[in-house]
Structure formats: structure tokens, C-alpha cells
Amino acid sequence: MQIATIVIPNLDGLAYLGPCLDSLARQTRQDFDVILIDNGSKDGSADFVRSHYPDVMIRQFERNEGFCRAVNEGIRMAATEYVILLNNDTICEDTFVEELVSAIRRTGAFSCAAKMVQMSHPDRMDNAGDYYCALGWAFALGKGKPASRYDTERAIFSSCAAAAIYRRAVFDEIGLFDEAHFAYLEDTDVAYRARIAGYRNYYAPRAVVRHVGSATSGSVYNEFKIRYSSRNNIYLIYKNMPWPQIVLNLPFLLPGFLIKMVFFARKGYLREYVVGLGAGAALCRRDKKVRFKWKNWSSYVRIQLELWGNLFRRISDLCR
């Protein structure tokens, strides 16, 4: 009986799929299914996988439906206890699946994030768990730092959906990835909702994956990414924070957005950032907001303390 389903969203990733799927064939644990969700690729990706990896299930969209729609389709297709989301531009170490399954069973978490190292420099970190702070900033811990410093299992705010395992049943309780995001911060949003419901997320450093990064969007900073990131950040705050919590955080959120505005203005992307903020405000509808429940009061308190604490975590990680 299969224990997990690996869902790989793909958009014109032909150059990456062979090494990624070959690494899955070498896993020490093989009781998993693989589903490729193709987002309207024009490079023959799906045909390549169909010819060379016949055991991989394929679902094709006619056009790019976005990361969230793609992974949601894979989650719906999965009939296993766990779902592993994996970017196409990754190569997994041989014990990747085994260690992720072990970590989520041991911790009882909603999700566990893999240790992501840079493809070109595997001794350097790409992501050691995602965090969210009171400034309204989401950040990956350890990016660019020596990988040897990030070998301790710990609770994190959210798992980067580029390489993470999720407990399938929890999605039935909190909902799937919010397709209004399309892409970017969708993994922070789903983790935030899980945190509100009382679940935890962990970093699993023994599950190692090498990651190219920005293989689909093309660069670290571009118009698409900046617009959607700023849009989704406004939406994330509105959706998950009760109004009193938003007011409480305003002294942090306002300077946080101002600093980002200056940062992107210096890089020539001020217009894209501001347009994104406006688009995010347009997404803020009453029916989208997570309903406050008194039974989750303690979760909101823990989250708020983390938002403040993650300000210092961010500074500390930059200084390491």
C-alpha cells in the first residue's frame, strides 16, 4: 500500500524533469505514487515523461492555471495519507522520501519542510524553513548560508511547497491551497490556516533536496513575481488576521511595506510593487476572511508572539 503521493507541478520544465524523476527512482523508500501536473507546457514535457517514465500519472491543463490550481489537482487525485509537493527543478537525495515520512509521523505536524540546498553550491542553503514576521515579510531561513549550520529539526512557521510533505486529511479541515493566490505565498497562507486550527509545521533537515530556484519565473526579481508577491501579501494579512490583530500589527506592517517599496523602487520595480498592493486590496472580500473562532484563541496568541519573535530571528539569521 502506498504511503505518499508526490505531486510535481510543471511548466516548460523539460530540462529539469529527467534528473528530478531519476532521483525519485533511487529513493530508499518506494511506496509512493508520482503525479505530474502540467500547466500547459509547450516544450513537450508531458510527452517526454509519458515516454520515459510510464509509471508517472499525468494531468495536463491547456494553459497555465497557476501553481495553486496545479497542486490542488494533484492533492485531489492523491489517495494516500501524505502528499509531497516537489518542484520540477529539484534533485532529491536518496533518503528524501523516507526522511520526510519519518519526520511528519514523529512530529504529528501538518507539514514538514525539506532541507533545500542550492543546486550549484550544495554546501549553501536555499531554504531551511519559512517564517513570517510582524513587518508583513515572509522569508526563507538560511538562504545563502553554509548548509552545515542548519541541521537541527525544529518548528517553523510554514513549509516551502517546493519540497515538503503534508498530512492529506488536514486539507479536508482547513481547505486546499487558495487558488486566488495563483502563485507566491500560497504555502504561507495554507500553513497560517493550519496554525490557526492548532497544527504545527516542522523543518526536517535529514530530508535533503538540491534546488535550482526560479526555474519557472526566470529570475529572483521580475515583474510577475513582484506583482503577485505584493498582491498576495496584502491578501494574506487580511485573510488570516482578525481585525484587532491587524490593528495591533499596524505599527510594524506600515514601515514593513514602506521599506519594501523603497527596496523595489531602487531596483526599478516601484510601479509593479504598487500595482500589486492595489490588486491585493481588491482581493480582500468578506467571504475570503478566515472566520474567527474563540476555540482558536490560544493559536492566535502563539502566532502573534511568533510574528514578533521572527523579527529578531530575521535579524539574527542575517548576521550569522
Side-chain angles (χ1 to χ4, degrees), residues 86 90-93 96 99-100 112-118 122-129 141-142 145-154 156 160 162-164 202-211:
L86 185 66
T90 56
I91 295 178
C92 306
E93 296 296 316
F96 170 75
E99 293 295 346
L100 280 183
C112 289
K115 178 179 182 177
M116 298 172 63
V117 298
Q118 297 177 15
D123 61 329
R124 293 281 164 178
M125 286 301 304
D126 183 59
N127 188 301
L141 198 71
K145 305 291 185 178
S148 58
R149 296 179 183 175
Y150 300 88
D151 286 334
T152 303
E153 183 177 278
R154 54 187 152 68
I156 56 177
C160 176
Y202 278 81
Y203 169 61
R206 296 177 64 179
V208 181
V209 60
R210 284 178 280 163
H211 183 222

Side-chain angles (χ1 to χ4, degrees), residues 15 17 70 85 95-96 101 105 112 148 181 203 214 218 234 238 249 276 279 295 318-319:
L17 286 171
L85 302 185
T95 59
F96 170 75
V101 171
R105 284 180 162 175
C112 289
S148 58
H181 280 270
Y203 169 61
S214 302
I234 291 288
Y238 169 82
N249 284 296
K295 69 176 183 178
L318 288 173
C319 295

Side-chain angles (χ1 to χ4, degrees), residues 78-190:
T80 52
E81 184 176 1
Y82 305 112
V83 175
I84 296 173
L85 302 185
L86 185 66
N87 275 16
N88 57 8
D89 60 336
T90 56
I91 295 178
C92 306
E93 296 296 316
D94 293 354
T95 59
F96 170 75
V97 172
E98 180 179 353
E99 293 295 346
L100 280 183
V101 171
S102 175
I104 200 167
R105 284 180 162 175
R106 181 172 58 255
T107 60
F110 164 57
S111 72
C112 289
K115 178 179 182 177
M116 298 172 63
V117 298
Q118 297 177 15
M119 184 72 76
S120 56
H121 300 284
D123 61 329
R124 293 281 164 178
M125 286 301 304
D126 183 59
N127 188 301
D130 284 347
Y131 291 86
Y132 193 67
C133 72
L135 292 171
W137 297 354
F139 60 94
L141 198 71
K143 188 172 289 291
K145 305 291 185 178
S148 58
R149 296 179 183 175
Y150 300 88
D151 286 334
T152 303
E153 183 177 278
R154 54 187 152 68
I156 56 177
F157 192 88
S158 61
S159 297
C160 176
I165 189 169
Y166 295 83
R167 193 174 299 274
R168 174 67 180 80
V170 178
F171 287 114
D172 296 331
E173 178 182 348
I174 67 170
L176 296 173
F177 286 82
D178 187 343
E179 294 180 14
H181 280 270
F182 192 81
Y184 302 115
L185 293 177
E186 72 291 323
D187 43 12
T188 303
D189 170 70
V190 77

Side-chain angles (χ1 to χ4, degrees), residues 4-67:
T5 301
I6 299 178
V7 177
I8 304 174
N10 177 69
L11 174 62
D12 294 328
L14 180 61
Y16 303 104
L17 286 171
C20 177
L21 294 171
D22 286 344
S23 74
L24 295 180
R26 296 190 296 267
Q27 293 298 300
T28 54
R29 182 165 192 158
Q30 285 290 320
D31 51 347
F32 59 85
D33 296 317
V34 180
I35 301 175
L36 180 82
I37 308 295
D38 188 76
N39 250 331
S41 295
K42 306 300 182 185
D43 65 350
S45 296
D47 290 337
F48 168 78
V49 173
R50 194 174 287 113
S51 298
H52 293 83
Y53 304 90
D55 291 335
V56 175
M57 292 178 279
I58 299 174
R59 172 75 165 91
Q60 286 182 270
F61 294 139
E62 293 184 1
R63 62 179 185 273
N64 183 8
E65 299 286 353
F67 178 87

Side-chain angles (χ1 to χ4, degrees), residues 110-318:
F110 164 57
S111 72
C112 289
K115 178 179 182 177
M116 298 172 63
V117 298
Q118 297 177 15
M119 184 72 76
S120 56
H121 300 284
D123 61 329
R124 293 281 164 178
M125 286 301 304
D126 183 59
N127 188 301
D130 284 347
Y131 291 86
Y132 193 67
C133 72
L135 292 171
W137 297 354
F139 60 94
L141 198 71
K143 188 172 289 291
K145 305 291 185 178
S148 58
R149 296 179 183 175
Y150 300 88
D151 286 334
T152 303
E153 183 177 278
R154 54 187 152 68
I156 56 177
F157 192 88
S158 61
S159 297
C160 176
I165 189 169
Y166 295 83
R167 193 174 299 274
R168 174 67 180 80
V170 178
F171 287 114
D172 296 331
E173 178 182 348
I174 67 170
L176 296 173
F177 286 82
D178 187 343
E179 294 180 14
H181 280 270
F182 192 81
Y184 302 115
L185 293 177
E186 72 291 323
D187 43 12
T188 303
D189 170 70
V190 77
Y192 205 132
R193 284 184 277 134
R195 296 295 310 279
I196 291 171
Y199 296 98
R200 303 294 295 274
N201 304 291
Y202 278 81
Y203 169 61
R206 296 177 64 179
V208 181
V209 60
R210 284 178 280 163
H211 183 222
V212 173
S214 302
T216 297
S217 63
S219 62
V220 176
Y221 300 115
N222 57 68
E223 292 183 8
F224 175 85
K225 185 173 183 177
I226 291 167
R227 285 193 182 190
Y228 273 89
S229 294
S230 59
R231 184 194 77 147
N232 292 345
N233 206 3
I234 291 288
Y235 179 46
L236 174 76
I237 293 166
Y238 169 82
K239 179 181 176 181
N240 292 290
M241 288 187 186
W243 285 111
Q245 190 178 19
I246 293 177
V247 173
L248 177 65
N249 284 296
L250 275 180
F252 301 93
L253 293 171
L254 292 178
F257 280 105
L258 180 60
I259 291 169
K260 287 273 189 172
M261 190 175 297
V262 172
F263 175 82
F264 286 117
R266 289 180 173 177
K267 290 188 174 294
Y269 290 112
L270 176 61
R271 182 177 182 277
E272 286 71 22
Y273 184 75
V274 172
V275 168
L277 294 179
L283 277 179
C284 297
R285 304 198 310 266
R286 189 173 182 177
D287 62 313
K288 294 286 189 178
K289 199 166 179 67
V290 174
R291 183 181 176 186
F292 176 80
K293 297 178 182 178
W294 282 106
K295 69 176 183 178
N296 296 328
W297 169 254
S298 61
S299 295
Y300 283 108
V301 172
R302 282 193 295 269
I303 289 170
Q304 183 57 52
L305 292 175
E306 282 190 40
L307 295 180
W308 285 330
N310 287 340
L311 289 169
F312 300 100
R313 187 187 297 271
R314 178 59 169 159
I315 295 170
S316 174
D317 192 53
L318 288 173

